[in-house]
Amino acid sequence: MGSTEQKIEEQLAQLQQKVGARHAEVLKHSNDDQFTVEYARLVNVTSKLVEFEKTIPERLAEPDRRRSERIVTWSWRGEAVVSAVLIALVFIFDRSAWWLVLLVPHFAGTVAGCFQKVDAEQHRDRRFGAVGLHVVALLMALISLSVISQWFIIAAAVGWMLVAGSLTDSTGADPKGARR
């Protein structure tokens, strides 16, 4: 069992123990004036337990979310650097400036992707998008360096659509969280 699960179980057990102790106090004072006070304490502790139980799935997903966040952040940053290098290579190799029409939007897209948020619900989709980004960036590098045919630009465009699709959630919200 991981440390996260162990911590959650310990906190849950403590809250359950508190509820049990408060329940015992309520039962002791079932026929006197102290009953109302003890019952209010029992309700308070029980509400804390219920609120904690609501957060358990998010707490369990947190280590995976943090891992995804690191993968996503460094993937997008790395590919932004690669894109900048490809733009520089256009000038170094004295290539046609028309390559900038392809490379500058790719660079802008990778830089914009560096600032996305990775939340608990969509962290796996964002990780998938970051891995897909590596494939698209490899295509862009191979195309711009004339290693493969320029017809692969179509594959790169399709790849960008798939990567962009992984950045939107199923509720129709955009990557920054605003509703459409």
Side-chain angles (χ1 to χ4, degrees):
M1 177 184 316
S3 65
T4 302
E5 290 108 3
Q6 187 175 8
K7 288 178 186 176
I8 291 171
E9 282 187 12
E10 288 171 0
Q11 290 175 326
L12 184 62
Q14 287 174 351
L15 285 171
Q16 289 171 338
Q17 192 175 28
K18 287 180 182 179
V19 168
R22 286 289 146 216
H23 182 257
E25 287 295 318
V26 168
L27 291 178
K28 279 188 210 174
H29 300 286
S30 60
N31 295 330
D32 60 20
D33 298 336
Q34 191 65 19
F35 175 80
T36 307
V37 173
E38 292 300 329
Y39 185 77
R41 289 179 181 163
L42 173 64
V43 169
N44 184 26
V45 170
T46 304
S47 66
K48 288 179 183 177
L49 174 64
V50 170
E51 290 301 315
F52 180 78
E53 286 178 341
K54 288 179 184 177
T55 66
I56 288 176
E58 188 174 309
R59 289 172 186 242
L60 287 173
E62 184 60 19
D64 282 341
R65 188 206 63 81
R66 281 183 294 189
R67 185 177 310 110
S68 294
E69 184 174 45
R70 284 191 304 273
I71 290 169
V72 167
T73 300
W74 287 106
S75 292
W76 285 87
R77 286 178 183 172
E79 295 306 339
V81 169
V82 169
S83 299
V85 168
L86 290 173
I87 290 171
L89 288 176
V90 166
F91 297 107
I92 291 170
F93 290 149
D94 198 27
R95 304 281 310 255
S96 170
W98 282 104
W99 283 110
L100 296 178
V101 172
L102 180 67
L103 294 174
V104 169
H106 178 71
F107 174 71
T110 55
V111 169
C114 292
F115 302 104
Q116 63 183 300
K117 301 293 182 212
V118 179
D119 59 5
E121 293 86 30
Q122 302 166 337
H123 71 91
R124 286 188 178 92
D125 292 338
R126 301 292 165 96
R127 191 185 320 178
F128 172 76
V131 171
L133 174 69
H134 292 297
V135 174
V136 172
L138 177 63
L139 278 173
M140 294 295 286
L142 295 174
I143 294 166
S144 65
L145 296 173
S146 299
V147 175
I148 60 176
S149 170
Q150 293 176 2
W151 285 102
F152 281 96
I153 291 173
I154 296 168
V158 169
W160 262 112
M161 285 188 267
L162 292 174
V163 168
S166 72
L167 299 179
T168 58
D169 66 8
S170 59
T171 61
D174 69 14
K176 295 179 182 147
R179 296 279 177 203
R180 287 183 186 170

